[in-house]
Amino acid sequence: QANVQRPHGLLLLEPQKLTTLIIADLNLRTARKERARIEYMVWHWLRQQNLFDHIDILTGIGVPIALYGNGWQGSKFEKLCLGPGGPKELPQVYRKHSAVLTPANNLLLHPRVLETFAAGGCSIQQYNPGLEGLGVEQYLTRGALEGMGLRVLADETWRQKLIAEGNRQVREQH
């Protein structure tokens, strides 16, 4: 119930509700500090599940995916991981690929979006009201994610327009 599927098939992150259900189901008594720690672990797990869903959707329609960072070892996506991608490498990584995908992070603006545009890369993001007007291409449905994943590969003019607008907005507003 707390891990609600939106009607369009993308995960809605609700760690507070899921934490409440876990604590109630296990009949736990927790201090506020302990609850916050559990909530963070639940949020992290939900975020990972959301990311896995997005990767499954895009690889399922043939969009090539390259992953960076730690934590892919032992997952079904391990073979897609190209390395940790340290801070000095990230600008080049952002420019090298057709787009950088950022699934919703509990509807917060992830620094990766701004970093990608500042580096001259293209970012597509799961819907986030805080990004409206920034020139970030957002998707709210599975179909929109699939469409953007394919369009960013096929329409270089559109992709370059996204990059230019996002880069301009980041430089002017951030």
Side-chain angles (χ1 to χ4, degrees):
Q1 293 161 338
N3 186 5
V4 177
Q5 283 288 343
R6 293 182 180 175
H8 44 70
L10 298 176
L11 189 65
L12 178 60
L13 305 181
E14 296 194 46
Q16 297 85 3
K17 288 183 182 178
L18 188 54
T19 300
T20 299
L21 290 174
I22 290 169
I23 289 171
D25 188 53
L26 297 175
N27 198 25
L28 299 175
R29 289 179 282 170
T30 61
R32 184 176 298 165
K33 184 177 179 180
E34 187 63 21
R35 180 186 170 86
R37 193 171 75 78
I38 294 168
E39 208 167 274
Y40 176 77
M41 289 187 302
V42 168
W43 170 83
H44 194 271
W45 178 79
L46 289 172
R47 181 175 170 264
Q48 183 179 45
Q49 297 310 303
N50 193 36
L51 178 57
F52 286 2
D53 288 348
H54 288 73
I55 296 168
D56 277 336
I57 289 167
L58 291 173
T59 57
I61 60 169
V63 173
I65 300 288
L67 301 173
Y68 292 87
N70 299 312
W72 298 108
Q73 301 81 2
S75 79
K76 71 179 188 175
F77 304 115
E78 182 174 15
K79 66 182 183 290
L80 301 175
C81 188
L82 300 182
K88 292 181 181 179
E89 302 161 321
L90 286 178
Q92 180 182 1
V93 167
Y94 294 150
R95 288 188 300 271
K96 174 180 166 181
H97 297 289
S98 298
V100 174
L101 173 70
T102 305
N105 188 2
N106 217 19
L107 300 181
L108 299 174
L109 173 59
H110 196 290
R112 183 183 311 117
V113 175
L114 301 177
E115 292 168 355
T116 300
F117 283 127
C122 180
S123 179
I124 60 174
Q125 160 94 24
Q126 189 171 357
Y127 178 75
N128 177 334
L131 293 176
E132 290 179 5
L134 184 58
V136 176
E137 195 64 29
Q138 300 186 75
Y139 56 90
L140 185 58
T141 66
R142 179 187 180 123
L145 170 60
E146 292 170 336
M148 278 185 222
L150 294 171
R151 186 174 183 190
V152 80
L153 297 173
D155 189 345
E156 186 61 21
T157 303
W158 178 72
R159 193 177 85 79
Q160 288 300 322
K161 182 180 173 185
L162 293 178
I163 292 169
E165 179 60 20
N167 186 276
R168 183 186 70 76
Q169 291 284 346
V170 167
R171 294 196 184 284
E172 288 178 5
Q173 297 181 23
H174 298 277

